[in-house]
Amino acid sequence: MIKLQIGSPSVTIIDAHKYWNATGIYIEIGASYRFEVEGEQFWYDAGIRSNANGYTKLWLRWAEMFRRKPNENWFSLIGNIDQSSEQEFLIGKKLEKHQATSSGELFCYANDVPIMYFNNHGTLSLTITRLS
């Protein structure tokens, strides 16, 4: 597992098809991190193209409550510490500063309905930098 040094970024690939993307990066409680998906990068929910901020569709409103993070956009990039439902946070295209409230491995995923990952494809390159 990689423990980031202050100011030294690490890049990891997040696959839309995977329910959990293990990053191998150890997040430390109390430390601050910046997360960024640089440039124009897209992944796909079936045939719907999306960036890391996700998307909304009126015709999908009925299903929003079934998403893993119901209050966040479809296909928004979500961070998670040790696969704990209490330690999830929105990353999106850029999260300027996130102070970790627990320690553990960083996992990421595209926000979707749990049984619908089979039709997801594409990857995003996520840069993580420890700030303090």
Side-chain angles (χ1 to χ4, degrees):
M1 188 128 7
I2 299 168
K3 185 175 176 182
L4 297 178
Q5 300 301 311
I6 294 173
S8 295
S10 181
V11 177
T12 188
I13 302 300
I14 310 301
D15 187 338
H17 189 71
K18 290 184 179 178
Y19 190 82
W20 290 112
N21 283 268
T23 66
I25 295 172
Y26 183 78
I27 300 295
E28 288 187 77
I29 190 169
S32 295
Y33 298 86
R34 179 175 54 240
F35 300 86
E36 186 172 9
V37 176
E38 298 179 49
E40 292 296 310
Q41 298 183 51
F42 301 98
W43 49 9
Y44 297 84
D45 184 3
I48 302 169
R49 184 173 90 157
S50 176
N51 65 24
N53 287 334
Y55 69 90
T56 60
K57 296 283 184 192
L58 219 52
W59 57 273
L60 283 173
R61 292 211 62 187
W62 67 271
E64 290 175 351
M65 68 180 133
F66 300 112
R67 292 183 294 214
R68 290 171 73 181
K69 290 234 8 119
N71 295 327
E72 301 299 346
N73 288 342
W74 293 103
F75 255 57
S76 55
L77 177 58
I78 305 296
N80 178 291
I81 307 301
D82 280 343
Q83 299 179 5
S84 167
S85 59
E86 290 84 38
Q87 296 299 325
E88 293 186 317
F89 56 98
L90 175 66
I91 295 174
K93 279 191 70 159
K94 188 172 189 177
L95 177 55
E96 195 62 50
K97 186 175 184 181
H98 174 75
Q99 186 166 7
T101 57
S102 68
S103 294
E105 184 175 2
L106 173 69
F107 288 82
C108 296
Y109 62 86
N111 194 28
D112 202 358
V113 174
I115 63 169
M116 295 303 293
Y117 280 79
F118 71 91
N119 69 359
N120 300 348
H121 60 281
T123 59
L124 299 177
S125 177
L126 175 64
T127 302
I128 304 146
T129 306
R130 183 171 175 175
L131 303 174
S132 66

